[in-house]
Structures are given as structure tokens and as C-alpha cells.
Amino acid sequence: MSSKLHRLCLFLAVTGTVIFPATSSSSSGNLPEFREAPAFRNGRECPKTTWSSSVDKNSHNPSIIHIAMTLDTTYLRGSIAGVFSVLQHASCPENIVFHFIATQRRTELRRVITTTFPYLSFHLYHFDVNVVKGKISYSIRRALDQPLNYARIYLADLLPTGVRRIIYFDSDLIVVDDVAKLWNINLGKHVLGAPEYCHANFTNYFTPRFWSNSVFATTLFKGRKPCYFNTGVMVIDLGKWREGRYTEKLEQWMRIQKRYRIYELGSLPPFLLVFAGNVEGVEHRWNQHGLGGDNLEGLCRDLHPGPVSLLHWSGKGKPWLRLDSRKPCPLDSLWAPYDLFRHSSLFSDS
């Protein structure tokens, strides 16, 4: 085990919770049951503030942090762990508002959130799958083709206009730092901020048909240096997004994809086509991604070099599934302390 991993394990061990694997409920039956999270309260230094979806469209309160996540039966256990991790490490947890997006079973999902996090400020929105019906092209992994995977494209339409900035988080990550540090980054003139990875081979994210088309390959990225970024962690200026009509720009590439088949990775490539080379770079510590392995086999991976503020199990392998199968990867032990899944008698808080 690397020294960095060892230090992280020791750090997370102070939670005092030992989790043993058990099989959660199926997506077609009852939703999983979760233990109630402790109440996380603001310190004296935190400004007292409230937020309502009915606020004036021009108002903006920088003391309130808005986070968007999707909720569905398949990834619910990951979403709950992600929320728990954010609250546990936040300096002002009561100033965080979560915006959850779901396509179905909203009443049940609302009950799960309310009973697991009784003190949480949150709103639950319905995402109409008909919005993307006919626009989604099949990819190399079925999970990437689900309509909810495309909800991040429509955040500016789903959320109230009073929400001017949002952090978008995938449902397979945990935060081990104060999320306010990510919230307060300066986007400058950019619409979107995310960790960039300019060493990645950008050509791999598109098909030969894309690169053989001179209009796509030559004209599109003229004047900008495109770098890969992972769309599971993004800070978005929704005001600039709405003004620039970026949802329409992303949808246009989805229509082109249906006709020309220029990529194979779900909702990621449209973001690269629209934003790559025009992103405010964020420290890599805020997305230690790829911990779920690749999209086909999901083999174990180690941490990237450098400090860690967020661990992201992007890829095929998910920590809760590997823990349940009793075949976990070493890094899955870092996710386990945030798993609130009710394991009946198979857990101990001692």
C-alpha cells in the first residue's frame, strides 16, 4: 500500500465505523434502507443564511453552496455516500443546498433523502426522459446511455434562475475536503471549471470518422488547445450558460452524432466538443478520477500522484458492488466509511 493511501486510510478510520459487505436491494424492487446520518451543524464563523427556490432571479448569495446530483435506484447507494462525505467535511454544512434530479420514483427517493438526512436542505426535480428521447446514441457501456446521464446538460433549465452557480457531482465519488474551496474558485470569463488533463490523448475520445472530416478536425478546435476533462465534477456558471445557450450547442452535437457516429462515450464527448480548450482549470486534487477502472473491465487502479480532495470511481467498477461481491479493490476501503447502507446487524459503530 502506498504511503498516501496508508495516510488516507488512517484519516478515514477515525470515523469509527466498520462496514461489512451485504447485498443491497435490486433496482426493480424496494429501495435500499440507509442509516440516519448525524446532524452536521455550522460553526460560529459561518454566516446565517437561508435559500428558497422562489428567490428573485437576480439575487445571488455567495454564502450558499449549490450542489447538483442525480438520483436513481442503481446509483442511490453511491449518491448517499457522496452527500454524507460532503457534509462531513464541510466548514458550513448548513449553508449547502442539494439539487437532486430524478426520472422516476421521486416520492420514494424523497423519503430516503429525508429519513437519511433529516436536516438537509434539498430540492428534488423531475427530469423528463422525453427531452433526450431520440437524441441518445448507443455507447460502449449501457450505463452511459441512460437518460439521467444526460441531465447535467439541462441543469440551467431544471434549476431556478436564482441559482447562478452550481457544482455538479457524479454519484460515484466522495469528497474528503471542504467543498467550499471548490465552490469559491474564480471562473473568470469561463462558463465551466474542472480539472483538465492535457497529457491525455485527446484523439481517443472520437472515432476515425470524426478526425477524417476536415470540418470537424481542423475548424472546430481552431484557436484553442483542447484538453480532456471529466464531466463528473464541474463548477458551472449557470447565468453564463443560459446567456450562451449552451444546452442547445450540446444538443446540436448529439444530433450530429446520430448522423455521423463521431464518438462512443455517452454524454462526455459533446462537453469536450463545446468546452475543451475553454475551461477554467481546477486543481487535479478535486477529481482523482478513474478509480472504477476502464469502461469495459473495471480493473483496480491506484491514486494519481498529488494531494487528494475528491475520489471518483468513474469507470465500470463501483466500490459498493465490489464490496458486496467480496472482491474489493484496495481504494474501495476509502469509500466504505461513507456507506450508510443499512446492513442489518452486520455493522458496528464501536
Side-chain angles (χ1 to χ4, degrees), residues 1 4-19 84 88-89 174 176 311 331-338 348-350:
M1 181 181 294
K4 183 195 304 181
L5 176 56
H6 179 67
R7 289 196 300 271
L8 274 170
C9 287
L10 289 176
F11 170 72
L12 293 176
V14 300
T15 60
T17 302
V18 180
I19 302 293
F84 185 32
Q88 181 166 316
H89 296 282
I174 56 171
V176 293
L311 298 101
L331 288 177
D332 296 342
S333 63
L334 302 180
W335 181 89
Y338 300 98
S348 171
D349 289 324
S350 62

Side-chain angles (χ1 to χ4, degrees), residues 15 17-20 22 24 31-40 76-88 112-118 120 174 320 323-324 334-344 346-349:
T15 60
T17 302
V18 180
I19 302 293
F20 296 92
S24 59
L31 294 182
E33 296 288 336
F34 298 94
R35 292 177 288 126
E36 181 179 321
F40 295 98
L76 182 58
R77 194 163 154 190
S79 299
I80 295 295
V83 173
F84 185 32
S85 71
V86 169
L87 296 175
Q88 181 166 316
V112 169
I113 296 298
T114 302
T115 56
T116 307
F117 303 103
L120 189 69
I174 56 171
W320 57 92
L323 288 164
D324 285 357
L334 302 180
W335 181 89
Y338 300 98
D339 184 15
L340 292 176
F341 174 65
R342 188 179 292 279
H343 294 261
S344 194
L346 296 179
F347 69 85
S348 171
D349 289 324

Side-chain angles (χ1 to χ4, degrees), residues 157-221:
D157 300 325
L158 291 167
L159 273 59
T161 54
V163 181
R164 299 282 298 178
R165 171 182 283 219
I166 196 79
I167 296 176
Y168 176 82
F169 280 154
D170 268 350
S171 297
D172 52 1
L173 57 79
I174 56 171
V175 177
V176 293
D177 201 346
D178 186 359
V179 75
K181 298 176 184 177
L182 178 62
W183 174 257
N184 289 322
I185 68 167
N186 184 1
L187 291 178
K189 64 180 181 179
H190 298 107
V191 178
L192 186 152
E196 291 184 292
Y197 303 89
C198 295
H199 63 278
N201 187 347
F202 197 77
T203 61
N204 290 340
Y205 298 97
F206 304 95
T207 64
R209 172 172 275 189
F210 173 88
W211 295 111
S212 64
N213 186 310
S214 59
V215 176
F216 294 158
T218 306
T219 308
L220 178 62
F221 297 112

Side-chain angles (χ1 to χ4, degrees), residues 59-231:
S59 66
H60 172 67
N61 188 336
S63 299
I64 299 177
I65 298 173
H66 296 278
I67 299 176
M69 297 179 71
T70 58
L71 290 180
D72 70 349
T73 55
T74 303
Y75 288 88
L76 182 58
R77 194 163 154 190
S79 299
I80 295 295
V83 173
F84 185 32
S85 71
V86 169
L87 296 175
Q88 181 166 316
H89 296 282
S91 56
C92 300
E94 292 182 276
N95 291 3
I96 299 175
V97 176
F98 280 87
H99 301 265
F100 298 117
I101 303 164
T103 58
Q104 56 185 346
R105 305 182 72 169
R106 283 184 295 153
T107 300
E108 295 172 85
L109 290 169
R110 182 182 297 277
R111 177 189 60 79
V112 169
I113 296 298
T114 302
T115 56
T116 307
F117 303 103
Y119 308 97
L120 189 69
S121 295
F122 76 94
H123 296 265
L124 182 59
Y125 308 86
H126 172 64
F127 180 58
D128 185 357
V129 298
N130 291 318
V131 171
V132 290
K133 188 176 182 180
K135 297 187 182 77
I136 298 177
S137 302
Y138 69 88
S139 64
I140 61 174
R141 187 159 65 90
R142 184 179 178 184
L144 301 177
D145 301 336
Q146 302 306 308
L148 199 56
N149 193 45
Y150 290 80
R152 70 197 79 190
I153 294 175
Y154 300 92
L155 292 175
D157 300 325
L158 291 167
L159 273 59
T161 54
V163 181
R164 299 282 298 178
R165 171 182 283 219
I166 196 79
I167 296 176
Y168 176 82
F169 280 154
D170 268 350
S171 297
D172 52 1
L173 57 79
I174 56 171
V175 177
V176 293
D177 201 346
D178 186 359
V179 75
K181 298 176 184 177
L182 178 62
W183 174 257
N184 289 322
I185 68 167
N186 184 1
L187 291 178
K189 64 180 181 179
H190 298 107
V191 178
L192 186 152
E196 291 184 292
Y197 303 89
C198 295
H199 63 278
N201 187 347
F202 197 77
T203 61
N204 290 340
Y205 298 97
F206 304 95
T207 64
R209 172 172 275 189
F210 173 88
W211 295 111
S212 64
N213 186 310
S214 59
V215 176
F216 294 158
T218 306
T219 308
L220 178 62
F221 297 112
K222 187 177 181 179
R224 55 181 172 139
K225 179 184 177 183
C227 294
Y228 164 77
F229 66 94
N230 180 278
T231 56

